[in-house]
Amino acid sequence: MSGLLTGAAERRPISSPEALDALVGQEIAVSSWLQIDQGRIDCFADATGDRQWLHVEPERAARGPFGTTIAHGFLTLSLLPVLLDAAVEFQHMKMGVNYGLNKVRFTAPVPVDSRIRVRARLLASEPLPEFEGTPGRQIVWQLTAEREGSTKTVCVAETVSRRHWGNGHVHHA
């Protein structure tokens, strides 16, 4: 996925739970841009069964309220972890899982061929019990997706993940 991101956003390194804790309350990273083309929208429609015309019928959507097809809100939401990963590098991480969502709002449509990015604000970092002898944190992020050329955000989500640091290979779940 990272090969599809454009721009030269620098990944923010986070080397330990303590380094993460020091960043609570701050906007810590902004991702590169990711283009949302019709192929991505169609794949999402196929995967979810949501083939509403305003997403997958360009001719009909051109006459609709947005003047073109738009991305599913849940497509935008599903891309937030990828965009966060493009912006933040958890160094020495042993395992990371998405734990849930506290709040989500789709604040504006994402027209086809738009580019989006995410701004990541760290809201909380709470200690977890050790996993295989490694320290962990439950992390709450405010992820704000922006559309290039627009002053209005397209999605604001409060996400919760769990991560454990340690030596060795990273396991994503």
Side-chain angles (χ1 to χ4, degrees):
M1 180 65 71
S2 62
L4 301 175
L5 296 167
T6 59
E10 193 79 19
R11 288 179 81 201
R12 175 74 177 256
I14 300 176
S15 59
S16 67
E18 296 77 21
L20 180 71
D21 295 346
L23 299 172
V24 171
Q26 300 177 45
E27 179 179 287
I28 65 165
V30 179
S31 76
S32 299
W33 293 102
L34 175 65
Q35 185 162 356
I36 308 301
D37 61 20
Q38 190 63 49
R40 184 182 301 273
I41 293 170
D42 291 344
C43 285
F44 189 83
D46 290 343
T48 61
D50 182 352
R51 299 201 47 82
Q52 188 176 171
W53 63 268
L54 57 91
H55 302 302
V56 298
E57 295 181 33
E59 297 78 22
R60 185 174 178 191
R63 299 185 306 273
F66 305 110
T68 190
T69 54
I70 61 169
H72 306 72
F74 281 100
L75 170 56
T76 303
L77 180 64
S78 73
L79 292 170
L80 295 183
V82 171
L83 291 166
L84 178 62
D85 187 57
V88 177
E89 178 187 3
F90 288 96
Q91 299 172 330
H92 316 293
M93 191 179 75
K94 181 174 187 139
M95 182 186 73
V97 295
N98 294 318
Y99 192 64
L101 302 163
N102 291 336
K103 299 177 193 174
V104 178
R105 293 292 179 268
F106 303 113
T107 51
V110 177
V112 67
D113 295 326
S114 294
R115 294 188 338 148
I116 63 171
R117 69 178 178 188
V118 72
R119 292 186 172 279
R121 175 175 296 280
L122 181 61
L123 298 181
S125 174
E126 300 294 329
L128 290 171
E130 286 191 356
F131 171 72
E132 295 182 354
T134 64
R137 292 292 187 270
Q138 180 164 296
I139 306 165
V140 180
W141 297 99
Q142 178 181 306
L143 301 178
T144 303
E146 304 173 328
R147 180 171 64 91
E148 188 176 41
S150 176
T151 58
K152 191 167 185 179
T153 63
V154 297
C155 180
V156 180
E158 192 172 293
T159 67
V160 185
S161 61
R162 290 184 165 192
R163 300 192 184 255
H164 284 269
W165 280 259
N167 298 323
H169 184 70
V170 175
H171 300 281
H172 293 280

